[in-house]
Amino acid sequence: MRHHCEDIALSHFLQSLRKLPLRTFSTNARKVHTAPARTLSLLRPLLFLVATGGGYAGYRQYEKYQEREWEKLGLEIPRKLAGHWEVALYKSVPTRLLSRAWGRLNQVELPHWLRRPVYSLYIWTFGVNMKEAAVEDLHHYRNLSEFFRRKLKPQARPVCGLHSVISPSDGKILNFGQVKNCEVEQVKGVTYSLESFLGPRIPTEDLPFPPATSCGSFRSQLVTREGNELYHCVIYLAPGDYHCFHSPTDWTVSHRRHFPGSLMSVNPGMARWIKELFCHNERVVLTGDWKHGFFSLTAVGATNVGSIRIYFDQDLHTNSPRYSKGSYNDFSFVTHMNKEGIPMRKGEHLGEFNLGSTIVLIFEAPKDFNFKLKAGQKIRFGEALGSL
């Protein structure tokens, strides 16, 4: 009944637009009829939003169809690496500016009658499960930004207490395993440099623990305890996933490094195409330690996901014009007043994205650490990643 009333209201609104009084003015060549300028200016951003959203929705559906067809045939999705000129051409696209514009557009308050059709299109395109949302009523969300950052019902994501490391977010497992030769796989067969991704090792005085070895390799600087190995896990958050991320274990955050960079798409197709994709993109690297030594969580930005928020870090401002690509900004949470850093409990709220993106965990653990995962599987926040 409620939906029927909304449809009637929408129909009356459209009819009223057709009846708007037209103004006529003359030129030497011809007469031109215009609708009231105020009405057109109000509708223009909404029409742009619907057009771009509809086009992207069609592209996403075609991409999903292609991947499903390959999976049905039992074939590995073909991998073709981009050339240097292709990467340079992609990076020349002003994705940072476009993402800032998209962010502002997301803040535009939608008319009450338009919220349900716009959000319903998004839900259908990306498979959003609104039954898990703390507020299921679509009219509650005044703009797209509020809808993207929706909270879940408390019982929707129970946190696994039996395993030492849990998934910090909903998403898809792109890759996981041991880090070898300072190269990390973003997807099978496509790698990126560990040092390029994390940046130079932070000064020893900022660490809550001293490095265990003076070995020159970057990997050995991260492994602080004898007998430990370095592990990694990459989780891709699709636009339809829950957009908040949480602490994957009990640990202490001592340092933050922000890399301004490009905002290229990080979907699995792009990760298979562009080598070192995560090193090109803007990202926020949180480092610290857990009971087995070094631990890090990196939030990687993407197209239209320039906004990365860390709840306890009010000084962090991502996708800002004041930061240039190729640089990085450090911030230490270890101070004279706080000698340890920021303690985080497993499952505690840590931060959020707008739209989808990627979380990368890099940490050390004993050699008998085992992942409870399969590459390509879907995972939800709170489920086990691995344990000893």
Side-chain angles (χ1 to χ4, degrees), residues 15-39:
Q15 290 177 7
S16 64
L17 285 181
R18 297 191 190 101
K19 296 178 181 179
L20 285 172
L22 297 178
R23 297 176 183 174
T24 305
F25 62 92
S26 299
T27 66
N28 294 333
R30 60 182 179 180
K31 290 186 177 181
V32 180
H33 297 275
T34 63
R38 176 175 172 78
T39 302

PDB file of all heavy atoms in Angstrom, residues 15-39:
ATOM      1  N   GLN A  15       3.733  14.723 -13.712  1.00  0.00           N
ATOM      2  CA  GLN A  15       2.690  15.456 -14.434  1.00  0.00           C
ATOM      3  C   GLN A  15       2.784  16.955 -14.159  1.00  0.00           C
ATOM      4  O   GLN A  15       2.587  17.774 -15.057  1.00  0.00           O
ATOM      5  CB  GLN A  15       1.320  14.933 -14.037  1.00  0.00           C
ATOM      6  CG  GLN A  15       1.032  13.507 -14.563  1.00  0.00           C
ATOM      7  CD  GLN A  15      -0.311  12.984 -14.090  1.00  0.00           C
ATOM      8  OE1 GLN A  15      -1.074  13.735 -13.480  1.00  0.00           O
ATOM      9  NE2 GLN A  15      -0.582  11.722 -14.361  1.00  0.00           N
ATOM     10  N   SER A  16       3.120  17.297 -12.918  1.00  0.00           N
ATOM     11  CA  SER A  16       3.227  18.720 -12.577  1.00  0.00           C
ATOM     12  C   SER A  16       4.387  19.381 -13.302  1.00  0.00           C
ATOM     13  O   SER A  16       4.336  20.557 -13.647  1.00  0.00           O
ATOM     14  CB  SER A  16       3.404  18.883 -11.066  1.00  0.00           C
ATOM     15  OG  SER A  16       4.620  18.307 -10.637  1.00  0.00           O
ATOM     16  N   LEU A  17       5.471  18.603 -13.544  1.00  0.00           N
ATOM     17  CA  LEU A  17       6.587  19.161 -14.307  1.00  0.00           C
ATOM     18  C   LEU A  17       6.172  19.508 -15.731  1.00  0.00           C
ATOM     19  O   LEU A  17       6.621  20.506 -16.299  1.00  0.00           O
ATOM     20  CB  LEU A  17       7.754  18.161 -14.339  1.00  0.00           C
ATOM     21  CG  LEU A  17       8.585  18.023 -13.054  1.00  0.00           C
ATOM     22  CD1 LEU A  17       9.709  17.007 -13.283  1.00  0.00           C
ATOM     23  CD2 LEU A  17       9.167  19.367 -12.641  1.00  0.00           C
ATOM     24  N   ARG A  18       5.320  18.630 -16.315  1.00  0.00           N
ATOM     25  CA  ARG A  18       4.878  18.891 -17.688  1.00  0.00           C
ATOM     26  C   ARG A  18       4.031  20.165 -17.776  1.00  0.00           C
ATOM     27  O   ARG A  18       3.963  20.805 -18.829  1.00  0.00           O
ATOM     28  CB  ARG A  18       4.065  17.701 -18.201  1.00  0.00           C
ATOM     29  CG  ARG A  18       4.876  16.398 -18.283  1.00  0.00           C
ATOM     30  CD  ARG A  18       4.097  15.334 -19.035  1.00  0.00           C
ATOM     31  NE  ARG A  18       4.729  14.033 -18.931  1.00  0.00           N
ATOM     32  CZ  ARG A  18       4.334  13.084 -18.107  1.00  0.00           C
ATOM     33  NH1 ARG A  18       3.291  13.307 -17.307  1.00  0.00           N
ATOM     34  NH2 ARG A  18       4.965  11.923 -18.053  1.00  0.00           N
ATOM     35  N   LYS A  19       3.368  20.481 -16.645  1.00  0.00           N
ATOM     36  CA  LYS A  19       2.454  21.635 -16.644  1.00  0.00           C
ATOM     37  C   LYS A  19       3.153  22.929 -16.222  1.00  0.00           C
ATOM     38  O   LYS A  19       2.521  23.952 -16.072  1.00  0.00           O
ATOM     39  CB  LYS A  19       1.279  21.364 -15.710  1.00  0.00           C
ATOM     40  CG  LYS A  19       0.413  20.183 -16.163  1.00  0.00           C
ATOM     41  CD  LYS A  19      -0.703  19.925 -15.164  1.00  0.00           C
ATOM     42  CE  LYS A  19      -1.571  18.727 -15.591  1.00  0.00           C
ATOM     43  NZ  LYS A  19      -2.646  18.460 -14.614  1.00  0.00           N
ATOM     44  N   LEU A  20       4.472  22.875 -15.998  1.00  0.00           N
ATOM     45  CA  LEU A  20       5.170  24.078 -15.559  1.00  0.00           C
ATOM     46  C   LEU A  20       5.017  25.188 -16.598  1.00  0.00           C
ATOM     47  O   LEU A  20       5.126  24.926 -17.809  1.00  0.00           O
ATOM     48  CB  LEU A  20       6.661  23.783 -15.356  1.00  0.00           C
ATOM     49  CG  LEU A  20       7.018  22.986 -14.097  1.00  0.00           C
ATOM     50  CD1 LEU A  20       8.499  22.608 -14.139  1.00  0.00           C
ATOM     51  CD2 LEU A  20       6.725  23.811 -12.856  1.00  0.00           C
ATOM     52  N   PRO A  21       4.775  26.402 -16.150  1.00  0.00           N
ATOM     53  CA  PRO A  21       4.634  27.513 -17.107  1.00  0.00           C
ATOM     54  C   PRO A  21       5.945  27.764 -17.824  1.00  0.00           C
ATOM     55  O   PRO A  21       7.011  27.781 -17.212  1.00  0.00           O
ATOM     56  CB  PRO A  21       4.258  28.703 -16.202  1.00  0.00           C
ATOM     57  CG  PRO A  21       4.773  28.335 -14.848  1.00  0.00           C
ATOM     58  CD  PRO A  21       4.652  26.851 -14.752  1.00  0.00           C
ATOM     59  N   LEU A  22       5.894  27.885 -19.113  1.00  0.00           N
ATOM     60  CA  LEU A  22       7.071  28.168 -19.924  1.00  0.00           C
ATOM     61  C   LEU A  22       7.206  29.665 -20.120  1.00  0.00           C
ATOM     62  O   LEU A  22       6.228  30.387 -20.312  1.00  0.00           O
ATOM     63  CB  LEU A  22       6.963  27.467 -21.283  1.00  0.00           C
ATOM     64  CG  LEU A  22       6.909  25.942 -21.242  1.00  0.00           C
ATOM     65  CD1 LEU A  22       6.746  25.409 -22.673  1.00  0.00           C
ATOM     66  CD2 LEU A  22       8.169  25.390 -20.610  1.00  0.00           C
ATOM     67  N   ARG A  23       8.446  30.123 -20.065  1.00  0.00           N
ATOM     68  CA  ARG A  23       8.716  31.532 -20.324  1.00  0.00           C
ATOM     69  C   ARG A  23       9.259  31.673 -21.738  1.00  0.00           C
ATOM     70  O   ARG A  23      10.037  30.843 -22.183  1.00  0.00           O
ATOM     71  CB  ARG A  23       9.725  32.069 -19.316  1.00  0.00           C
ATOM     72  CG  ARG A  23       9.219  32.013 -17.883  1.00  0.00           C
ATOM     73  CD  ARG A  23      10.287  32.454 -16.909  1.00  0.00           C
ATOM     74  NE  ARG A  23       9.820  32.342 -15.535  1.00  0.00           N
ATOM     75  CZ  ARG A  23      10.590  32.545 -14.485  1.00  0.00           C
ATOM     76  NH1 ARG A  23      11.861  32.852 -14.627  1.00  0.00           N
ATOM     77  NH2 ARG A  23      10.083  32.428 -13.263  1.00  0.00           N
ATOM     78  N   THR A  24       8.857  32.708 -22.386  1.00  0.00           N
ATOM     79  CA  THR A  24       9.277  32.919 -23.765  1.00  0.00           C
ATOM     80  C   THR A  24      10.072  34.204 -23.863  1.00  0.00           C
ATOM     81  O   THR A  24       9.702  35.217 -23.262  1.00  0.00           O
ATOM     82  CB  THR A  24       8.043  33.022 -24.682  1.00  0.00           C
ATOM     83  OG1 THR A  24       7.246  31.860 -24.492  1.00  0.00           O
ATOM     84  CG2 THR A  24       8.466  33.142 -26.140  1.00  0.00           C
ATOM     85  N   PHE A  25      11.184  34.155 -24.562  1.00  0.00           N
ATOM     86  CA  PHE A  25      11.907  35.390 -24.852  1.00  0.00           C
ATOM     87  C   PHE A  25      12.350  35.353 -26.309  1.00  0.00           C
ATOM     88  O   PHE A  25      12.515  34.304 -26.900  1.00  0.00           O
ATOM     89  CB  PHE A  25      13.105  35.592 -23.915  1.00  0.00           C
ATOM     90  CG  PHE A  25      14.154  34.534 -24.021  1.00  0.00           C
ATOM     91  CD1 PHE A  25      15.233  34.681 -24.897  1.00  0.00           C
ATOM     92  CD2 PHE A  25      14.063  33.375 -23.251  1.00  0.00           C
ATOM     93  CE1 PHE A  25      16.185  33.712 -24.988  1.00  0.00           C
ATOM     94  CE2 PHE A  25      15.029  32.397 -23.347  1.00  0.00           C
ATOM     95  CZ  PHE A  25      16.091  32.560 -24.208  1.00  0.00           C
ATOM     96  N   SER A  26      12.510  36.528 -26.868  1.00  0.00           N
ATOM     97  CA  SER A  26      12.771  36.634 -28.305  1.00  0.00           C
ATOM     98  C   SER A  26      14.223  36.989 -28.554  1.00  0.00           C
ATOM     99  O   SER A  26      14.855  37.706 -27.793  1.00  0.00           O
ATOM    100  CB  SER A  26      11.884  37.715 -28.927  1.00  0.00           C
ATOM    101  OG  SER A  26      10.522  37.359 -28.753  1.00  0.00           O
ATOM    102  N   THR A  27      14.732  36.464 -29.648  1.00  0.00           N
ATOM    103  CA  THR A  27      16.030  36.884 -30.183  1.00  0.00           C
ATOM    104  C   THR A  27      15.796  37.284 -31.624  1.00  0.00           C
ATOM    105  O   THR A  27      14.700  37.153 -32.159  1.00  0.00           O
ATOM    106  CB  THR A  27      17.045  35.720 -30.131  1.00  0.00           C
ATOM    107  OG1 THR A  27      16.592  34.701 -31.028  1.00  0.00           O
ATOM    108  CG2 THR A  27      17.158  35.137 -28.723  1.00  0.00           C
ATOM    109  N   ASN A  28      16.813  37.793 -32.288  1.00  0.00           N
ATOM    110  CA  ASN A  28      16.672  38.186 -33.690  1.00  0.00           C
ATOM    111  C   ASN A  28      16.399  37.001 -34.585  1.00  0.00           C
ATOM    112  O   ASN A  28      15.868  37.130 -35.665  1.00  0.00           O
ATOM    113  CB  ASN A  28      17.939  38.911 -34.155  1.00  0.00           C
ATOM    114  CG  ASN A  28      18.113  40.231 -33.445  1.00  0.00           C
ATOM    115  OD1 ASN A  28      17.117  40.826 -33.028  1.00  0.00           O
ATOM    116  ND2 ASN A  28      19.361  40.687 -33.296  1.00  0.00           N
ATOM    117  N   ALA A  29      16.801  35.775 -34.105  1.00  0.00           N
ATOM    118  CA  ALA A  29      16.679  34.604 -34.969  1.00  0.00           C
ATOM    119  C   ALA A  29      15.393  33.843 -34.730  1.00  0.00           C
ATOM    120  O   ALA A  29      14.714  33.457 -35.658  1.00  0.00           O
ATOM    121  CB  ALA A  29      17.879  33.678 -34.766  1.00  0.00           C
ATOM    122  N   ARG A  30      15.043  33.610 -33.474  1.00  0.00           N
ATOM    123  CA  ARG A  30      13.893  32.755 -33.204  1.00  0.00           C
ATOM    124  C   ARG A  30      13.430  32.963 -31.783  1.00  0.00           C
ATOM    125  O   ARG A  30      14.083  33.603 -30.964  1.00  0.00           O
ATOM    126  CB  ARG A  30      14.281  31.286 -33.410  1.00  0.00           C
ATOM    127  CG  ARG A  30      15.399  30.853 -32.502  1.00  0.00           C
ATOM    128  CD  ARG A  30      15.799  29.420 -32.754  1.00  0.00           C
ATOM    129  NE  ARG A  30      16.895  29.041 -31.892  1.00  0.00           N
ATOM    130  CZ  ARG A  30      17.458  27.834 -31.895  1.00  0.00           C
ATOM    131  NH1 ARG A  30      16.999  26.895 -32.696  1.00  0.00           N
ATOM    132  NH2 ARG A  30      18.462  27.576 -31.080  1.00  0.00           N
ATOM    133  N   LYS A  31      12.300  32.340 -31.439  1.00  0.00           N
ATOM    134  CA  LYS A  31      11.781  32.357 -30.080  1.00  0.00           C
ATOM    135  C   LYS A  31      12.263  31.112 -29.362  1.00  0.00           C
ATOM    136  O   LYS A  31      12.271  30.030 -29.925  1.00  0.00           O
ATOM    137  CB  LYS A  31      10.254  32.388 -30.077  1.00  0.00           C
ATOM    138  CG  LYS A  31       9.667  33.701 -30.548  1.00  0.00           C
ATOM    139  CD  LYS A  31       8.164  33.701 -30.388  1.00  0.00           C
ATOM    140  CE  LYS A  31       7.578  35.048 -30.788  1.00  0.00           C
ATOM    141  NZ  LYS A  31       6.121  35.078 -30.611  1.00  0.00           N
ATOM    142  N   VAL A  32      12.642  31.276 -28.097  1.00  0.00           N
ATOM    143  CA  VAL A  32      13.145  30.166 -27.298  1.00  0.00           C
ATOM    144  C   VAL A  32      12.277  30.028 -26.060  1.00  0.00           C
ATOM    145  O   VAL A  32      11.998  31.006 -25.372  1.00  0.00           O
ATOM    146  CB  VAL A  32      14.616  30.401 -26.879  1.00  0.00           C
ATOM    147  CG1 VAL A  32      15.098  29.237 -26.047  1.00  0.00           C
ATOM    148  CG2 VAL A  32      15.477  30.595 -28.121  1.00  0.00           C
ATOM    149  N   HIS A  33      11.813  28.809 -25.792  1.00  0.00           N
ATOM    150  CA  HIS A  33      10.988  28.537 -24.620  1.00  0.00           C
ATOM    151  C   HIS A  33      11.852  27.861 -23.569  1.00  0.00           C
ATOM    152  O   HIS A  33      12.577  26.918 -23.864  1.00  0.00           O
ATOM    153  CB  HIS A  33       9.820  27.623 -24.993  1.00  0.00           C
ATOM    154  CG  HIS A  33       8.879  28.242 -25.980  1.00  0.00           C
ATOM    155  ND1 HIS A  33       7.853  29.060 -25.625  1.00  0.00           N
ATOM    156  CD2 HIS A  33       8.860  28.170 -27.349  1.00  0.00           C
ATOM    157  CE1 HIS A  33       7.198  29.454 -26.707  1.00  0.00           C
ATOM    158  NE2 HIS A  33       7.795  28.916 -27.775  1.00  0.00           N
ATOM    159  N   THR A  34      11.798  28.327 -22.336  1.00  0.00           N
ATOM    160  CA  THR A  34      12.582  27.728 -21.242  1.00  0.00           C
ATOM    161  C   THR A  34      11.683  27.456 -20.057  1.00  0.00           C
ATOM    162  O   THR A  34      10.772  28.212 -19.757  1.00  0.00           O
ATOM    163  CB  THR A  34      13.721  28.662 -20.788  1.00  0.00           C
ATOM    164  OG1 THR A  34      13.158  29.849 -20.279  1.00  0.00           O
ATOM    165  CG2 THR A  34      14.668  28.967 -21.939  1.00  0.00           C
ATOM    166  N   ALA A  35      11.963  26.369 -19.362  1.00  0.00           N
ATOM    167  CA  ALA A  35      11.311  26.097 -18.083  1.00  0.00           C
ATOM    168  C   ALA A  35      11.971  26.968 -17.038  1.00  0.00           C
ATOM    169  O   ALA A  35      13.055  27.507 -17.256  1.00  0.00           O
ATOM    170  CB  ALA A  35      11.469  24.615 -17.727  1.00  0.00           C
ATOM    171  N   PRO A  36      11.355  27.138 -15.884  1.00  0.00           N
ATOM    172  CA  PRO A  36      11.967  27.950 -14.835  1.00  0.00           C
ATOM    173  C   PRO A  36      13.384  27.474 -14.537  1.00  0.00           C
ATOM    174  O   PRO A  36      13.641  26.296 -14.362  1.00  0.00           O
ATOM    175  CB  PRO A  36      11.025  27.736 -13.646  1.00  0.00           C
ATOM    176  CG  PRO A  36       9.715  27.390 -14.268  1.00  0.00           C
ATOM    177  CD  PRO A  36      10.048  26.617 -15.502  1.00  0.00           C
ATOM    178  N   ALA A  37      14.315  28.410 -14.469  1.00  0.00           N
ATOM    179  CA  ALA A  37      15.723  28.059 -14.277  1.00  0.00           C
ATOM    180  C   ALA A  37      15.945  27.333 -12.964  1.00  0.00           C
ATOM    181  O   ALA A  37      16.779  26.438 -12.875  1.00  0.00           O
ATOM    182  CB  ALA A  37      16.575  29.328 -14.324  1.00  0.00           C
ATOM    183  N   ARG A  38      15.222  27.700 -11.932  1.00  0.00           N
ATOM    184  CA  ARG A  38      15.404  27.074 -10.615  1.00  0.00           C
ATOM    185  C   ARG A  38      15.081  25.583 -10.673  1.00  0.00           C
ATOM    186  O   ARG A  38      15.809  24.750 -10.116  1.00  0.00           O
ATOM    187  CB  ARG A  38      14.519  27.774  -9.580  1.00  0.00           C
ATOM    188  CG  ARG A  38      14.586  27.116  -8.208  1.00  0.00           C
ATOM    189  CD  ARG A  38      13.800  27.907  -7.169  1.00  0.00           C
ATOM    190  NE  ARG A  38      13.723  27.176  -5.917  1.00  0.00           N
ATOM    191  CZ  ARG A  38      14.693  27.088  -5.040  1.00  0.00           C
ATOM    192  NH1 ARG A  38      15.846  27.675  -5.272  1.00  0.00           N
ATOM    193  NH2 ARG A  38      14.529  26.407  -3.905  1.00  0.00           N
ATOM    194  N   THR A  39      13.990  25.217 -11.368  1.00  0.00           N
ATOM    195  CA  THR A  39      13.601  23.804 -11.461  1.00  0.00           C
ATOM    196  C   THR A  39      14.665  22.997 -12.188  1.00  0.00           C
ATOM    197  O   THR A  39      15.043  21.910 -11.760  1.00  0.00           O
ATOM    198  CB  THR A  39      12.265  23.679 -12.205  1.00  0.00           C
ATOM    199  OG1 THR A  39      11.278  24.449 -11.513  1.00  0.00           O
ATOM    200  CG2 THR A  39      11.827  22.210 -12.272  1.00  0.00           C
TER     201      THR A  39
END
